[in-house]
Amino acid sequence: MARVTTKYVCTSCGYQSAKPLGRCPNCQAWNSFEEEVPTVAAGKARTGGAGGYGGVTGGKLTALSTVGRREEPRTPTGIPELDRVLGGGLVAGGVTLIGGEPGIGKSTLLLQVADRLARTGQTVLYVAGEESLEQIRLRADRLGVTAEIQLTRDTRAEHVAALMAEHRPALCIVDSIQTVTVEGDGTPGGVAQVREGTALLTRAAKETGTATVLVGHVTKEGTVAGPKVMEHIVDTTVFLETVGAFRLLRSVKNRFGQAGELGVFEMRGEGLVAVENPSAAFLAERPVGVPGSVVAATIDGQRPMLLEVQALASKTPYPNARRVVVGLDPRRVDVVLAVLERRLELTLGGLDVYVNLAGGLKVPDPGLDLAVALAVYSAVVGRALPGNVAVFGEVGLAGEVRSTQGALRRAEEATRAGYRQLIVPPGLDGREGVRSVEEAVGVVWKAGT
């Protein structure tokens, strides 16, 4: 007789417990546990000598050297920034999970992709689990979507899989996976339903060669709601987030490409519009000739960008000076300030220091250390940097400037943007570079004279 083991699973993060809990110890969510009753096959495994393990013989082995090489066919979405994040386009049979806050633009972006693919004559299936067909039509009219997209309100996973097998669409969009139901016990959005629905649709995508995109809700912590196993099942996981006036699409997992790619969009009346030159967009409002402003070459994920590091120093009215950091790692900024006081004898004890990464981005990049040092020094002494200077480099405790990841790509991005004077670590592409913060300060203001 089969043994039945009851366990309780948090619907927010997938944490498992042998008994129901009022509050999840992992994600701190209240009243989020649901009962799950898996069935364990009866009988105990036993070794059987030449007969195998428990009377079962092993499967066939295949040597790695005999496995052929195959490039996965890709379909461009028609949106270059999205293709960059996906690694070149949609993969036939690949399953992509896209998460993001409500109203951030997930459905808008996917409807734009559906329109572009349908215009090329390919079949697109849109599973509307959260909106009526009339609501989707209204959004399509607003975005200028005129292509024939096949819509359905049927969110039963078995029926969606049957539609994929019958029509063989090039793209299937499921909005959202939390509304999909599987035959059996459980409520839509529950742990078991989300997990089984994802597994069934993934299996159907592999069998039919349909590129499938699943829209996922997010929790208040910003993670995809549902069990973590859902993210393990899919091939690609991307997140859409808001940064100032822009939308960033970031890949955190990609079996068919490089994870960490970043796409930048801007929300307009006609939908999400790709920002082809993020560096120019983030530096568009930079004040020129103002002390405390430095252009820094950074890498967010795998993408080089130019951002503005700002610093402001003012006399403090409090017994203890304040240190306010926005968009950067506060601990690294504290280290840079200590280096400035010790190595350059810059007096900061009676000053409130404010450091900001303009644009709303949060980038924990050690390569921004040198930009922070020059911005704070510029703010304290009241001297602006020349307008054609871009910097990057990590600062050590001895005041030395160290090399950073992706140095060549940073330098190429700065050069492409028209910054002729680069203050960088030594040894980059034959450049002499600067070896210390003191040397960087001397080079910057010597270049400006």
Side-chain angles (χ1 to χ4, degrees), residues 241-262:
E241 58 190 58
T242 302
V243 174
F246 302 100
R247 303 287 195 272
L248 301 186
L249 185 66
R250 192 187 307 273
S251 69
V252 297
K253 171 189 175 182
N254 194 345
R255 289 174 178 163
F256 305 115
Q258 192 170 19
E261 288 289 352
L262 182 71

Side-chain angles (χ1 to χ4, degrees), residues 129-284:
E130 298 185 350
E131 298 176 306
S132 66
L133 301 185
E134 290 75 15
Q135 287 175 309
I136 295 178
R137 177 59 187 269
L138 288 175
R139 180 186 292 116
D141 292 341
R142 177 171 56 85
L143 299 178
V145 175
T146 58
E148 285 296 337
I149 301 172
Q150 304 303 317
L151 307 176
T152 179
R153 286 278 294 158
D154 193 343
T155 56
R156 288 169 290 184
E158 297 87 354
H159 292 194
V160 175
L163 288 173
M164 294 168 64
E166 178 182 356
H167 298 281
R168 302 277 174 166
L171 172 64
C172 177
I173 299 171
V174 180
D175 188 5
S176 67
I177 186 61
Q178 276 80 13
T179 63
V180 172
T181 60
V182 182
E183 184 178 355
D185 296 333
T187 58
V191 174
Q193 289 283 304
V194 171
R195 182 183 60 213
E196 295 301 325
T198 302
L200 196 153
L201 293 177
T202 299
R203 191 160 54 247
K206 304 298 182 185
E207 293 173 355
T208 61
T210 300
T212 304
V213 180
L214 310 177
V215 178
H217 294 166
V218 296
T219 64
K220 60 183 179 181
E221 288 80 17
T223 60
V224 176
K228 273 293 182 181
V229 69
M230 180 174 65
E231 297 184 46
H232 297 313
I233 293 174
V234 300
D235 300 307
T236 305
T237 302
V238 298
F239 283 95
L240 192 62
E241 58 190 58
T242 302
V243 174
F246 302 100
R247 303 287 195 272
L248 301 186
L249 185 66
R250 192 187 307 273
S251 69
V252 297
K253 171 189 175 182
N254 194 345
R255 289 174 178 163
F256 305 115
Q258 192 170 19
E261 288 289 352
L262 182 71
V264 184
F265 298 86
E266 184 178 2
M267 179 64 80
R268 299 179 184 173
E270 61 270 26
L272 284 176
V273 179
V275 178
E276 298 181 357
N277 190 353
S279 297
F282 283 112
L283 294 177

Side-chain angles (χ1 to χ4, degrees), residues 37-106:
V37 186
T39 301
V40 182
K44 294 183 178 180
R46 59 184 181 275
T47 56
Y53 186 82
V56 180
T57 57
K60 179 183 177 182
L61 297 177
T62 302
L64 177 62
S65 59
T66 64
V67 178
R69 297 177 176 85
R70 184 186 66 181
E71 287 290 334
E72 297 292 342
R74 292 183 180 271
T75 302
T77 63
I79 303 177
E81 287 294 295
L82 179 57
D83 290 337
R84 168 196 287 271
V85 176
L86 296 177
L90 295 168
V91 176
V95 181
T96 301
L97 175 65
I98 178 171
E101 298 176 355
I104 199 171
K106 302 183 296 296

Side-chain angles (χ1 to χ4, degrees), residues 374 384-386 389 391 421 423 439-449:
L374 293 177
L385 274 75
V389 172
V391 306
Q421 180 75 17
I423 309 301
E439 185 178 349
V441 169
V443 170
V444 166
W445 275 276
K446 180 180 178 181
T449 56

